[in-house]
Amino acid sequence: MTIAEANEFRTLCDTAGIAVTHQRQVVFEALRHMHGHPSPEEVYARVRIRIPSISLATVYKTIHLFIESGVFREVSLHHGSLRVETNARPHHHLVCTGCKSISDIDAEALEIGARARKLPGGFLAQRYAVDVLGLCAECQKSLS
Amino acid sequence: MTIAEANEFRTLCDTAGIAVTHQRQVVFEALRHMHGHPSPEEVYARVRIRIPSISLATVYKTIHLFIESGVFREVSLHHGSLRVETNARPHHHLVCTGCKSISDIDAEALEIGARARKLPGGFLAQRYAVDVLGLCAECQKSLS
DNA sequence: CTAGGTGCAAAGTATTTGCAACGCT
DNA sequence: AGCGTTGCAAATACTTTGCACCTAG
């Protein structure tokens, strides 16, 4: 880890009010240098090279801590389990970052427009699914 | 189930080349009449009122069958497990419906524009996350 | 020193699978 | 009749938790 990264990490921890531990530094650096959307197992595999004694539980705890602190995001804020769309109309989702609730909004009401000309790697676009992330009315109240 | 629904379901099964069973009809009807984004457990609870002997495994199999056949969609096509965003730049996702791979596309490159005026229920929008659903180059080849 | 962090093992939840019996076509 | 479908129970995958020990501040 570079000096700059170490300092940045120290500052992040100060802001979040959490301890700077060796495990957290190594997980932080691993994530910083990984590409794509790694799973906890993949992070664990990488971190174990530098800390063979680290446990998967610590990796999970650390990742959640980073997500709560806003240091990293998770790829999908949706339910972790399988959910079925019962709404047959074209629609998008309002996802509350507070209570994790998901409600539907008609595609027309969102008035979304995407004008991608070329998508990387010859990707063929068929449909757009938009999550509007924010706070539902209830969670806005709770925070005020 | 109305006669119209029963006929519609029969046609769907014919098209998909699958058998019309009592369990599938009841799961189909349950989903048709449920709101929001039910989990397999919730569907199971509802279906059990009419078929007490049905198993949760059958509900899972039936839901997957419906999703593969395009009869219903799932809410999120993302990985079922926790994934971390390592890309700090504002970006959206290209999600391949064939191989389920997810790649990033810079927010600017997608040129997305949302102009929602009023969001239902006083929802406070903070950020938009767009999934472009389609086929990656590899999966386009496989299908040709 | 002590509050918070870690590692371990066990528990919890979500989902899938193997297989014998059963029912659609 | 034959093959796909079902129900059950066991297996697997993923994630969380309780607790004794350890460590940063």
Side-chain angles (χ1 to χ4, degrees):
Chain A
M1 168 142 49
T2 66
I3 304 289
E5 276 176 337
N7 286 337
E8 182 195 354
F9 181 65
R10 196 162 282 273
T11 305
L12 281 170
C13 289
D14 284 352
T15 308
I18 59 173
V20 177
T21 68
H22 185 219
Q23 284 86 340
R24 287 175 186 171
Q25 286 183 62
V26 174
V27 171
F28 176 79
E29 193 196 353
L31 285 170
R32 265 298 170 87
H33 291 278
M34 291 177 88
H35 293 124
H37 313 105
S39 65
E41 283 282 356
E42 287 163 347
V43 177
Y44 177 53
R46 179 162 178 146
V47 167
R48 263 214 294 191
I49 296 167
R50 289 182 52 198
I51 313 178
S53 63
I54 200 172
S55 71
L56 181 56
T58 297
V59 172
Y60 268 97
K61 287 169 189 164
T62 306
I63 290 175
H64 282 137
L65 188 71
F66 287 165
I67 290 171
E68 284 158 28
S69 315
V71 177
F72 287 94
R73 283 189 173 143
E74 56 185 310
V75 172
S76 174
L77 283 81
H78 289 177
H79 312 94
S81 62
L82 177 62
R83 298 302 175 114
V84 187
E85 280 291 2
T86 59
N87 181 351
R89 308 182 54 164
H91 68 276
H92 298 294
H93 292 128
L94 304 179
V95 181
C96 179
T97 54
C99 63
K100 310 286 182 187
S101 68
I102 303 182
S103 51
D104 292 352
I105 178 173
D106 264 35
E108 293 175 5
L110 190 57
E111 296 181 47
I112 198 113
R115 283 147 288 139
R117 289 175 193 112
K118 285 184 213 163
L119 293 172
F123 191 94
L124 174 67
Q126 295 173 326
R127 181 164 75 86
Y128 291 79
V130 180
D131 287 345
V132 182
L133 306 175
L135 290 171
C136 69
E138 282 306 310
C139 287
Q140 287 175 56
K141 277 184 219 159
S142 315
L143 295 179
S144 59
Chain B
M1 168 142 52
T2 66
I3 302 290
E5 275 178 336
N7 285 338
E8 181 195 355
F9 182 66
R10 197 161 281 275
T11 306
L12 281 171
C13 289
D14 284 353
T15 308
I18 60 173
V20 178
T21 68
H22 184 217
Q23 284 85 341
R24 287 176 186 168
Q25 287 183 60
V26 173
V27 172
F28 175 79
E29 193 196 353
L31 285 170
R32 266 300 170 84
H33 291 279
M34 290 176 89
H35 293 126
H37 312 105
S39 66
E41 283 283 356
E42 288 163 346
V43 176
Y44 177 53
R46 178 162 178 147
V47 167
R48 262 215 295 192
I49 296 167
R50 289 182 50 197
I51 314 178
S53 63
I54 199 172
S55 71
L56 182 56
T58 297
V59 172
Y60 268 97
K61 287 169 189 164
T62 305
I63 290 174
H64 282 138
L65 188 71
F66 287 164
I67 290 170
E68 284 159 29
S69 315
V71 177
F72 287 94
R73 285 191 172 140
E74 55 184 311
V75 173
S76 175
L77 283 81
H78 289 176
H79 313 95
S81 62
L82 177 63
R83 297 302 176 113
V84 186
E85 280 291 3
T86 59
N87 181 352
R89 308 182 53 163
H91 67 276
H92 299 293
H93 291 129
L94 303 177
V95 181
C96 179
T97 53
C99 64
K100 311 285 182 187
S101 67
I102 302 181
S103 50
D104 292 353
I105 178 173
D106 264 35
E108 292 176 5
L110 190 57
E111 297 181 46
I112 198 114
R115 284 146 289 142
R117 290 179 191 109
K118 284 185 214 164
L119 291 173
F123 191 93
L124 174 67
Q126 295 173 325
R127 182 164 75 85
Y128 291 79
V130 180
D131 287 346
V132 182
L133 307 174
L135 291 170
C136 69
E138 282 306 309
C139 287
Q140 287 174 56
K141 278 184 216 159
S142 316
L143 295 178
S144 58

